[in-house]
Structure formats: C-alpha cells, structure tokens
Amino acid sequence: MGQRISGPEWPAGSQHGRFSVSEEAPPRYSCSHGDGRTLNMNLSNNTDGLVLPTMVTMETEASDGVSERQDSRRPTLYSTIDAVPTLDFYTNTMATGRNRRSRPSLETLRKVMDDGETGSSMEDLGVDGYAGNQEQQHSQHEDRSQQNSQPVRFGWVTGVMIRCMLNIWGVILFLRLPWITSQAGIILTWVIISMSVIVTSITALSVSAIASNGKVSSGGAYFMISRTLGPEMGGPIGMVFSFANALACAMNTVGFSETVRDLLIEYGAVIVDPINDVRIVGVATVTLLLLISLAGMEWEAKTQILFFLVLLLSFTNYFVGTVIPASTEKQAMGFFSYRREIFLTNLLPDWRGPEGNFFQMFAIFFPSAIGILSGANICGDLKDPETAIPKGTLMAIFWTTVSYLGISATIGGSVLRDASGSLNDSLELNSSAVCEGVACSLGWNFSHCEVTHTCSFGLANNFQVLSMVSGFGPLITAGIFAASLSSALAFLVSAPKVFQCLCKDNIYPYIGFFAKGYGKNDEPLRAYFLTYLIAVAFILIAQLNAIAPLISNFFLCSYALINFSCFHASITNSPGWRPSFRYYSHWTALFGAIISVVLMFLLTWWAALISFSIILFLLGYVSYKKPEVNWGSSVQAGTYNMALSYSVSLAGVEDHVKNFRPQCLVLTGPPNLRPALVDFVGSFTKNISLMICGDILMEDGTAVLPQRNVARLVKWLNHRKVRAFYTPITSDNLREGASHLLQATGLGKLKPNTLIMGFKTNWQECSPHSMEDYITTISDTFDSNYGVCLLRMMDGLDISEEIEGEVNHAFETESTTAPEQAAPGRNSDALRPTTLLMVLLLQKFRLDVHDVIVMTDSERPPNSKNLKRFEDIIAPFRLREGLHGEAVLQDLKRDCPWKVSDKDLEALRLKSERKVRLNEIIRKNSQHAALVLVSLPVPQTDCPSSLYMAWLDTLTYGLHCPSLLIRGNQQNVLTFYCQ
C-alpha cells in the first residue's frame, strides 16, 4: 500500500531541478542553485511503492573553483538518518581503530522527527551516508596504516584442500595400507575405504552446511557444534576434539619415527633399541614441529606446500615403479610388477594374528580419513570460510579417495603376501624342492618361510613395501616423511586453535590461561606447549597400532555430533538456519551420526565407553554450571517448537480436577525488590506449576521498561533458581494494571488461576484512593474467577537478614508439640470425635498431615484490650454522625466510600469481633509456626474499604512468621475418586 508524499520546497532563487530516469538505477534528482551549489538526491523504491531517500549530498563550489562535498544538514524530508542497511549493522565485532557503524534505534528516529534535530543527530550518530569527511579521511588513513599488520589469510586451495589432503595422506597410507590390503584383500580393503569415505563425506556435507550458515570464526569443529547445539554439547566435544588432535599428532610422529628407525636398522646405526629409538626420534621430531608452529601460520603454510610437492613427486615415483620390470632382487622380495594371478590371489582376505579381523583393520585405517576437518579447524585464518570449507574439503576427499583406491589395487596386483627376500629361493637354483602357491608359477619358492612364518618381505610382513616397489626408493621415504610430518604439523596447529576457542568461551574453569593469543594471527602459544606435552606423552607409547584405535573413537564421536548438529538445526526449522550450501540432507546427516556411533562400538567398545563417559561427565558439568553464553543454538529452537506444540495440544484438553495446579500471577513489581514474595511462591510452584511475576509500571502510563532491564530481572530469577516468567505492563493504577494482567497473561491452558499480592502494610497512611484501588483489585480478581492470596510479613517482604539470623523451630519435627500440650486446659475428650473426622478427610484426599487441632472456643468474646486496639485502628476512618447533618453525611458517604459510618460499624460488629478473636487464637497456638494460613474474608459491597483492611490487619496482627490470607474461587480442586 503506497503513500503519497509532497515534495520539498526549494530555496528561493534556485533553478529548476533536472529529472532523469534509468532502467538500471533509481531516479536521480539534481538541482543547481544560484550560489553555485548542486543538490544531488538518490531515491529508492521500497516494496510498498513508497519512495524513500537513501542519500543526500551537497556540492559547494568555493571561490577558487574547487568543489567540496559535505553532508546536508537541512531537516527536510530527504535528510533522513534511516540509512540503507549495510553489513556493518549486523556484525558483533569492531574494526581496529574505527567506530562501529550501527543502525539508529527506533527511539532515536522518533526523537529526531519530533524535535526537528535531524542534522545534529545525523552528525552525532555517524550512520551510513552521514559520516563527516574528516572522519572518513581519518578512517582511510588508519586503514592504510594497518595494511601491513593484517593477519595472514588463506584461500580454499592452500588453506583447505592442500591442508586436508596432507592430513589424509598420513602414515597409514605409506606404512599400513599395503599391510591392510594383505589382511583384508583388495575387495574388503575397498569396502573399508568406501565406509570411511561415506562417513567422512557425509560429515563434510554437514560441515559445509554449518560453515555456510554465517560467519565462522576460529575454533573448527568445536565452534560449529557449540554454536549449533549450544555449550552443553559444544564444550565436551571441544575438549575431546582438542585431545584427539593432539593424539593424531603423536600418531603421525610415531609413524615418521618408525620409518627413521627402519632406516637406521638397515644401515646398522641403532641408537639404543627399536622401541626406544622410536621414542627418541619422535620427541626430537615433535620438538622441531613445535618450533615451526611457533614461527607463525605463514611459515607453517609454506612448509605444508613443500610437503605437498614432495608427496606428489613420491606418488609419481611409486606409480612409475609399478610398471618398471622387476629386478631379481625385487622378485625375491615379492614384487613382480602387474600380474593377473597375483591380483586374483590378493582379492580375498587372509586374516593373520590377533588383529586379523575386518573391524580391527577398519579401526587402524580410519585415522587416515580424519583429516577432513583440518581446513575447518583453522577457519579463523581463511579468507572466505563459507566458500573455502565446502569446496576445499570435498575436493580433498575426492582426490585422496582416488589415490587410496589406486594404491591398494596396484600394490595388491603386483606384490605377493609373503616373500623371503633370499635369492636362493629361486626355482632355477633350487628346482628339486616341493613348491606350492602363486610364487611357484612365477619361478620362486617361498613355501618354507610361509610354513614357518619367517617371511620378512611381502605385503603381510614388510611395512616399507612401497619403497621397494617404487622406481627410486628414497623418494618414497621422502614421501613418508612429508606425509607424516605434514599431518603431525597440521594436527599440532589444529589442536591449540580449537582449544584456544574453547578457553575463550570460558565454559570450563582453570583453562582460561590458554586463551591468550599472540601476534597478528592471535597465535595460541600457550596451547601449543600444552599440545606438545600431550603429544610427547603418547609418543612414548611408541606403538602406532595401539594409538590409532583411540583416535578413531574420538574422531568418530566428533563426526557423530557434527552430523547431529546439522540434523537438529534442520528439523527445528529455526529462522537462523539458512545455509548457502544446499547439497546436504538432514536425513543423510542423521545417518552419518548413527553410523559413527555404531562404528565406535564395533571398532573398540571399551574405547567407545571411555569416550562417552568423558563426554557425559563434561556435559553434566556444563549443564549444572550453566555458563552465561547465548549462541542461538538449535536446542533453543527445538525447545520453542516443543513448547509451542505442547501448548497448542494442551489447549484441546478438557480441564479435570485431578490435574489442577496453582498457576500463579504474582504482583511482585521488580522481582529483585521483593525476594521474599518470589521465594514463597516459588517454594510451592517449583518446577510443576506456572508462575508469572507481574510488574505494573504506574509512574508514567507511556513509560516502557527497557529490554535490558527485563533481561536483567529474568537473569536474577534464573540465578535464584526460580522458574518464573516476568511480565511488565504499564497502567495508571493498580486496579487497571491487574485487570490487564488477569486478562492477557498466559497462553491457552497455561493461564493463571490465582492472584498473589503482598499485604498493603501502609494502608493507614496511604491515600484513600490507593486503598480503595487495592480492595477493588481483590474484588475484580474474584469476579474473574481467580483465587486470591495476600502474603504479610511484619517487617515487610524483604526479610532476608531476619531469616538468615533465626532458627525457625517449626521445621524441627522431633519436638512437635502434642495436641494436648498445645492447648492445656482444653477438653481433649470433646475434641477427639471432631479431630478424628478432619483426619479421616485428609486421609481420603491422601494429604500427608499428622497433627490436627480443632479449636472450639472461637465463639468466646475477644479480649477488651484487643478489641480496643481494633477500634483505635478504625477510628480515623469513621464518620461521626452526631457532628454532621443528614445531607452532609450523604455527601460524605458518596464522595468518601471508604469511610465507616456508625450504622456500618454496628451492622458488622459481630464479624469484627470474630476477626479479633481469631487473631487471639492464632497468636496463642501458632507461636512457633513457620507459616500461618488464614481464610481471606470476601470483600462485600456493604463493607467499606477501610473496615475491610482493618479486618485483614487484625487477623494477621502480632505474628512474627509469614502469614498468608488465602481464598479460592469456591471450586473443588481435590477429589478422592480415581476418574
């Protein structure tokens, strides 16, 4: 629906404006003035057809002919500060040295329009299109001065694809893939590779969806999970994932050390022994990697590119070596180039040793696929994480999968499982021996070592088989060095980055020390040293096959949560879930989560139990501590969906007396100012009943409580562990505000049925209209079919100091006074039948009440002293009929309805005396009670307000414990029937 706005009045003496329309741009208005100024205006059309100004600039020609652009300061229609939205409005960080541009608030816009101070407000706000030239030039100067101090940022090739490929091409590829092929055969090896690729590909799709759903900061998998599922799930996985990366660094370092040890053994240069040599080389290697990491991300990236080139060269060397005819020495070690019979023999599995089973092979191989998160782990160092992570990760998975399938097929088609390495086993030299197996058809007899299990070469026995097959062995050794060192270096960098992000979020105690960053890239130097110590501890194990299954479980657990994060964020239909990456499915993500958990238990069940135990412990801690963070998680969106669904379904359920709950609207005002009232109601609503804290703002009917104050009060309620809603409302008086709350609060069946207020202790000093307002609020509540409770404390509602300093003997059940001792001198025999009948009724209703005392002397007249006190209370509000004429009395009664006439006092004398007598009984029998409950008298039309307040005051007079005046709406809320 459009609006019509009249144009501005041009200054006198100005020329006619020139109008031009372009199909590719909004209309542009230009007006030349006689004083050499030109006014340019850009207008844009909104969706409603309303023409809105977006920018107003003025060009002023100085006397020297130089044109100077300056902001318009005229408070005209086009001098608006309602700027076009820019990206800066939605960021939560500020550029260094510059003021963050923000959208003007609605209050500012309204104030500007009302006060006519557009120009000055625009200048002060500095919003889009109105920053002064001096500030703009200053910002540009700062930008130029900071160009040299900008952190290093990487693209999708160097930052993600190469990094992921290097991590996937780890020690498993060179040192264990041929051995796995010998155990599982080519077919099952491809199955193992395919299963790993399925899990990692689904996870990569989920990572891509999460990474493209907004700006991703440093923290990798932890950042994604925590911002999607919240700190409860993000915190535990951040700890576990950081630890897993440290273990992966140790695993790849051990793989490198094994290769160095084998080379030392080959050349007869053993340091101590085979195990300790791995430890010594491993510690020295990880120390060198630490120094490279400390040098900064730029040096680390250059080192990774060098490793990548070495790996490409080593792969080329291997594939060239497979087609070169095998020499006699290589044939003795089991290599015969491509042979059909070798390929067919190696197709099927040949399980050997205690590790010879499918899932153990999968557990050993799977760590080779865990590098898919290497790019995401440094997302804070990427130029465009939303684009780089999906593209680089998926490309890395594709090319590494091709390489794994190719190497397993080629090595399985050219190398025997067993070979002795001895030239004497040639059939030409030993033709008389009995020969069995594929080697016999190739001219070699390895039967002896096969039977005695003493073969030293072949796929099943030699971990360095790729070096033997290749054209130039040292290049494969260089490839092993590059693969293991690059993976170890990447994990050594990833673990501190993730852990630093976790420490900055301050979810767990005592780890904030590691949150500090250094340099332009905010390097986590302290976390580097922590990761280094963890890696050294596991390097000392010196067993690659022992470390790999542990890593598999930790990473599978991370993958399960990443996939579940994507699934949960999708099904909650949160408006904030809008990933630009579309090639994913929430059902695929759920399958990835389930299969990851299943694989955890199939691989190493005891490691899976340890992983889940650690995560459950960390999750329980975060759930208990409830850190003060709010990331708009999908759990919050799911909670909203569930609450909405249950609320709507509850609306169709018919009320039943068995399901009655006291749903309380408590007029607390600001809850933190009346903690006793809040705590009292919270003590019986607990977590099973509705509690709404109503705050009637009566200072100014147009005042609105700022949102920050509302959030502060809600935070106070949560900190006090009171599950309640806070609802402020503006009104001119208590009665009107309470009426609005009674009608408007609640949702469906989640609607209050009881109004709780504090007792008006100042009723004798306050204005009569305020007292009248209080009484009519009670009457209106009854008219609305609500119950009413009034809580009174002798020293007001804020009694925190008194409660902390006193011991309330009412809670000491061991010293409970017997009924006969509580009322000495009373006729106990006369009380027993009646008492037995209140007891039977309580048992019918299954209420746990043990001591019941029935008072029979309530009909006695009250004490004269107490009656005199009541008369003194009501005296200031009486109408002295003897001092005024009948006409004057009628006018006073009409103008002051709270006044008590002699006729009113006489008509209600018996009720007044009964209230005095009840107070005497309560004070006599409830000296040590924790709480006194008294039936609230129903306000009647013939009872003046002052007299009614005197009744309430008298009933609860002289009690040192809290007293509650309570009255329901005369509807049954108890039943002893089962239906």
Side-chain angles (χ1 to χ4, degrees), residues 826-976:
R826 196 171 291 159
N827 189 353
S828 301
D829 294 336
L831 293 177
R832 283 174 185 169
T834 308
T835 304
L836 182 61
L837 181 64
M838 295 297 285
V839 173
L840 291 177
L841 185 59
L842 290 171
Q843 290 177 353
K844 282 282 188 180
F845 288 121
R846 307 171 301 282
L847 298 176
D848 189 16
V849 178
H850 302 287
D851 298 329
V852 179
I853 305 174
V854 178
M855 306 299 174
T856 59
D857 56 351
S858 59
E859 300 299 328
R860 290 174 50 187
N863 187 285
S864 58
K865 181 180 68 173
N866 295 328
L867 188 60
K868 176 65 169 55
R869 176 188 170 277
F870 173 79
E871 293 175 350
D872 292 341
I873 290 177
I874 202 67
F877 300 95
R878 292 190 59 181
L879 284 174
R880 304 296 179 178
E881 298 181 2
L883 302 178
H884 304 285
E886 185 65 24
V888 176
L889 285 174
Q890 293 295 331
D891 293 339
L892 288 175
K893 191 66 176 177
R894 183 182 66 254
D895 298 336
C896 304
W898 56 85
K899 292 287 187 177
V900 183
S901 64
D902 295 341
K903 181 179 179 181
D904 295 332
L905 191 61
E906 185 62 28
L908 300 172
R909 178 172 296 277
L910 291 179
K911 289 187 176 182
S912 300
E913 292 178 356
R914 183 175 179 84
K915 303 298 185 293
V916 178
R917 176 57 187 159
L918 287 176
N919 176 254
E920 294 175 354
I921 296 174
I922 293 172
R923 284 191 291 161
K924 181 179 181 180
N925 294 276
S926 302
Q927 289 293 330
H928 303 296
L931 176 68
V932 174
L933 282 78
V934 186
S935 294
L936 174 69
V938 179
Q940 299 175 344
T941 56
D942 60 344
C943 179
S945 301
S946 57
L947 180 59
Y948 182 77
M949 287 301 303
W951 287 353
L952 302 184
D953 189 280
T954 300
L955 279 172
T956 55
Y957 171 75
L959 299 178
H960 297 285
C961 62
S963 56
L964 185 69
L965 295 159
I966 182 171
R967 169 72 63 175
N969 59 2
Q970 299 306 106
Q971 293 183 0
N972 294 334
V973 296
L974 292 174
T975 180
F976 53 84

Side-chain angles (χ1 to χ4, degrees), residues 41 69 79 191 539 554 558 606 634 742 781 917 936-937 976:
M41 290 171 287
R69 299 177 63 90
S79 300
V191 173
I539 287 172
F554 285 139
S558 303
W606 57 267
S634 61
L742 290 172
T781 304
R917 176 57 187 159
L936 174 69
F976 53 84

Side-chain angles (χ1 to χ4, degrees), residues 53-94:
T54 60
M55 180 177 67
V56 180
T57 60
M58 294 187 68
E59 294 183 1
T60 305
E61 260 190 41
S63 57
D64 55 357
V66 180
S67 177
E68 178 186 0
R69 299 177 63 90
Q70 62 182 9
D71 294 334
S72 174
R73 300 288 184 240
R74 296 185 63 238
T76 66
L77 172 66
Y78 299 104
S79 300
T80 176
I81 64 171
D82 193 7
V84 175
T86 64
L87 188 61
D88 289 346
F89 293 166
Y90 303 94
T91 58
N92 55 8
T93 57
M94 291 190 297

Side-chain angles (χ1 to χ4, degrees), residues 354-570:
E355 297 177 340
N357 61 78
F358 177 83
F359 288 107
Q360 186 64 29
M361 293 299 106
F362 182 86
I364 295 175
F365 173 81
F366 186 77
S368 65
I370 61 179
I372 63 168
L373 296 179
S374 300
N377 287 339
I378 63 162
C379 51
D381 298 310
L382 300 176
K383 294 178 181 177
D384 185 13
E386 293 83 357
T387 303
I389 291 176
K391 187 185 300 185
T393 304
L394 294 175
M395 289 294 292
I397 291 176
F398 173 77
W399 289 116
T400 54
T401 302
V402 171
S403 65
Y404 273 108
L405 294 175
I407 291 177
S408 63
T410 55
I411 201 70
S414 59
V415 182
L416 295 173
R417 281 191 171 99
D418 296 291
S420 64
S422 174
L423 296 176
N424 295 328
D425 289 335
S426 173
L427 289 179
E428 296 178 357
L429 300 178
N430 193 7
S431 59
S432 61
V434 179
C435 183
E436 295 180 357
V438 179
C440 298
S441 62
L442 299 175
W444 292 84
N445 186 3
F446 302 133
S447 301
H448 178 71
C449 72
E450 289 179 4
V451 173
T452 59
H453 303 290
T454 58
C455 295
S456 301
F457 295 91
L459 294 178
N461 308 291
N462 183 15
F463 289 154
Q464 304 291 338
V465 67
L466 292 186
S467 297
M468 182 265 295
V469 172
S470 65
F472 184 62
L475 280 180
I476 295 297
T477 303
I480 297 175
F481 289 174
S484 56
L485 292 178
S486 63
S487 298
L489 182 59
F491 285 120
L492 184 61
V493 171
S494 299
K497 294 282 186 180
V498 175
F499 191 63
Q500 181 189 33
C501 184
L502 174 64
C503 296
K504 285 183 177 180
D505 288 337
N506 198 25
I507 294 179
Y508 294 106
Y510 313 120
I511 61 174
F513 173 80
F514 300 99
K516 183 175 177 58
Y518 298 86
K520 59 184 179 181
N521 272 56
D522 197 32
E523 295 291 346
L525 301 186
R526 297 175 178 177
Y528 277 132
F529 284 102
L530 177 63
T531 305
Y532 168 78
L533 294 177
I534 296 174
V536 167
F538 280 88
I539 287 172
L540 296 179
I541 297 177
Q543 294 291 332
L544 185 63
N545 290 3
I547 301 175
L550 293 175
I551 299 173
S552 298
N553 269 275
F554 285 139
F555 275 92
L556 279 171
C557 186
S558 303
Y559 293 169
L561 284 177
I562 290 175
N563 286 303
F564 182 76
S565 300
C566 182
F567 167 76
H568 195 267
S570 300

